[in-house]
Amino acid sequence: MPETNPDPVVFTVLNEIRIIEQLARTRLEQVLPDGLRISHFSVLNHFARLGGEQTPAELARAFQVTKGAMTNTVQRLEARGLVEVAPHPNDGRSKRVRLTAAGYHLRNGAIAALAPVMQQLEDELSEQEFAAALPFLQRLRAYLDAERDPPSA
């Protein structure tokens, strides 16, 4: 095995991000309430960050999953009272999804349960280091978001 990494730097950065995502996902799964999956938490977090309402199709596009997969996730969240689904006011064939107070509370509780993990990270890596990485990561996300293809049905 060579001592230097022959891989392109862009690949190496994206690979590091993938590994970080997997490690963070595993930590989050350890604190989610019984029966709540990462896909469920992600939808709750999406609404908590952005607010408003979206159709299942808009959510599917945002998460790069099929409409069927998103419909399943929304139905599970609705059954737990974490989101509300209502008819679309302008399109009788479509529905609008929004976060409930219970969904917001559960999302915040999961983040609070992660506080010790986040504190350990901040004890090891300073808030300034995280802040310095943020602009690059946000630009990378925005670029990849703009360049993505819609998922196949």
Side-chain angles (χ1 to χ4, degrees):
M1 186 129 191
E3 288 189 26
T4 59
N5 186 349
D7 294 332
V9 69
V10 172
F11 173 82
T12 303
V13 168
L14 293 175
N15 193 53
E16 288 294 322
I17 291 169
R18 183 197 58 77
I19 294 166
I20 291 166
E21 189 277 334
Q22 181 61 47
L23 294 168
R25 174 183 292 262
T26 300
R27 288 284 181 106
L28 180 57
E29 286 174 342
Q30 293 170 348
V31 301
L32 288 177
D34 185 42
L36 195 69
R37 298 181 179 161
I38 293 291
S39 58
H40 304 154
F41 173 81
S42 297
V43 171
L44 299 179
N45 192 52
H46 176 80
F47 280 120
R49 286 183 325 103
L50 302 177
E53 299 178 343
Q54 289 187 304
T55 67
E58 289 168 334
L59 289 168
R61 169 133 172 78
F63 286 93
Q64 294 284 276
V65 299
T66 65
K67 288 192 297 185
M70 184 53 66
T71 297
N72 182 285
T73 297
V74 167
Q75 287 172 344
R76 290 176 186 268
L77 291 171
E78 183 182 29
R80 292 181 70 164
L82 303 174
V83 298
E84 292 177 342
V85 179
H88 193 293
N90 303 326
D91 181 358
R93 300 168 299 160
S94 184
K95 303 216 182 285
R96 300 295 291 175
V97 181
R98 73 173 165 256
L99 188 64
T100 64
Y104 189 77
H105 178 74
L106 190 136
R107 177 260 187 193
N108 288 347
I111 290 175
L114 276 173
V117 173
M118 289 188 274
Q119 185 60 55
Q120 287 175 330
L121 281 170
E122 205 169 302
D123 290 346
E124 186 66 28
L125 304 164
S126 72
E127 185 175 339
Q128 292 79 16
E129 289 175 288
F130 281 102
L134 198 52
F136 169 76
L137 293 172
Q138 288 171 328
R139 283 183 45 223
L140 177 61
R141 179 200 32 87
Y143 173 80
L144 293 173
D145 191 34
E147 294 296 316
R148 68 183 164 158
D149 292 326
S152 57

